[in-house]
Amino acid sequence: EDQVTQSPEALRLQEGESSSLNCSYTVSGLRGLFWYRQDPGKGPEFLFTLYSAGEEKEKERLKATLTKKESFLHITAPKPEDSATYLCAVQAGTGRSQGNLIFGKGTKLSVKP
Amino acid sequence: NAGVTQTPKFQVLKTGQSMTLQCAQDMNHNSMYWYRQDPGMGLRLIYYSASEGTTDKGEVPNGYNVSRLNKREFSLRLESAAPSQTSVYFCASRTGFGYNEQFFGPGTRLTVL
């Protein structure tokens, strides 16, 4: 069964304290792995797509990496405005979920000044 | 460019009432999706439309119907609302070609009493 697990569920950091969020997955024929940011009361906002193991993408203080079984979202020197819930999703290439996104439950990040 | 828009933003229904959630996108995307988001459950796919004129069930379709009115618009109907349908509903769209991300609307918060 296609599945996405994110850890930790919640993460509290001090401003400037770097850390990583984990997304582990099992999927039939990975077509892509997606990271989204969601602020309270808003829709998910697209951050990155990763397609193959070894790929990395960066945007400001965020860097996403991908292996064959998991992805990491590294946050370097976070600021309070990075506080949000970060969602990971995979797109299956085969099977019942083919083409659709399967989401994890998210990691709620809080960055204190 | 408004992206994906949803109406209404908030709605309160009584058990047994019906309503339609509206979604429109101005990005000329082929595929459109309806999700629900519940605490601790993550985003779950209700229905999707891979292209104009087609609709398919997702993970949790029971109690819902959809209509792909044209390329821009995709509506979700609750024929007889139940308290279990209290949730936040998100519409999303993507181009439908290749491996690419979905863009989300701002959501509709629905409460069924």
Side-chain angles (χ1 to χ4, degrees):
Chain A
E1 182 185 351
D2 299 329
Q3 193 170 323
V4 176
T5 303
Q6 291 189 246
S7 61
E9 289 184 15
L11 181 63
R12 304 182 93 176
L13 299 174
Q14 288 295 126
E15 185 171 2
E17 179 187 3
S18 301
S19 188
S20 296
L21 283 56
N22 178 262
C23 171
S24 62
Y25 62 89
T26 54
V27 67
S28 305
L30 180 71
R31 293 183 67 181
L33 185 139
F34 304 82
W35 282 99
Y36 286 84
R37 170 190 171 126
Q38 186 174 24
D39 293 301
K42 298 194 175 181
E45 175 189 348
F46 170 74
L47 292 173
F48 304 108
T49 308
L50 301 166
Y51 294 116
S52 57
E55 189 175 0
E56 299 181 351
K57 288 196 176 171
E58 287 187 67
K59 181 180 179 179
E60 295 180 356
R61 294 176 293 281
L62 301 176
K63 178 180 174 180
T65 61
L66 181 64
T67 72
K68 288 187 178 179
K69 292 185 176 181
E70 59 191 349
S71 176
F72 292 94
L73 185 65
H74 306 279
I75 303 175
T76 302
K79 298 182 177 182
E81 53 261 43
D82 294 321
S83 297
T85 296
Y86 290 85
L87 304 175
C88 172
V90 296
Q91 186 178 31
T94 61
R96 182 175 176 273
S97 303
Q98 181 181 0
N100 295 329
L101 293 187
I102 302 154
F103 280 86
K105 296 179 181 179
T107 293
K108 184 175 182 179
L109 174 67
S110 299
V111 182
K112 301 298 181 187
Chain B
N1 223 2
V4 179
T5 57
Q6 293 183 236
T7 55
K9 285 186 167 42
F10 302 93
Q11 184 72 47
V12 178
L13 293 178
K14 293 181 180 178
T15 298
Q17 288 185 316
S18 62
M19 80 161 294
T20 300
L21 281 65
Q22 306 286 354
C23 173
Q25 52 90 10
D26 62 0
M27 297 175 283
N28 200 35
H29 285 173
N30 290 300
S31 303
M32 297 185 73
Y33 304 81
W34 276 106
Y35 293 89
R36 60 178 289 173
Q37 187 175 42
D38 303 291
M41 296 294 293
L43 281 158
R44 292 182 292 168
L45 183 64
I46 306 171
Y47 269 95
Y48 66 101
S49 171
S51 60
E52 189 178 354
T54 69
T55 60
D56 283 290
K57 295 178 181 179
E59 180 186 355
V60 288
N62 291 345
Y64 306 95
N65 283 302
V66 291
S67 295
R68 183 75 182 265
L69 305 170
N70 47 55
K71 190 171 184 179
R72 289 186 63 249
E73 298 172 288
F74 188 38
S75 63
L76 179 71
R77 183 160 178 84
L78 287 69
E79 290 291 351
S80 178
S84 60
Q85 294 178 305
T86 294
S87 188
V88 182
Y89 291 85
F90 290 101
C91 177
S93 70
R94 74 179 181 103
T95 66
F97 299 110
Y99 313 152
N100 42 47
E101 64 274 11
Q102 295 182 14
F103 293 93
F104 284 80
T108 295
R109 184 173 295 274
L110 175 67
T111 301
V112 183
L113 303 174

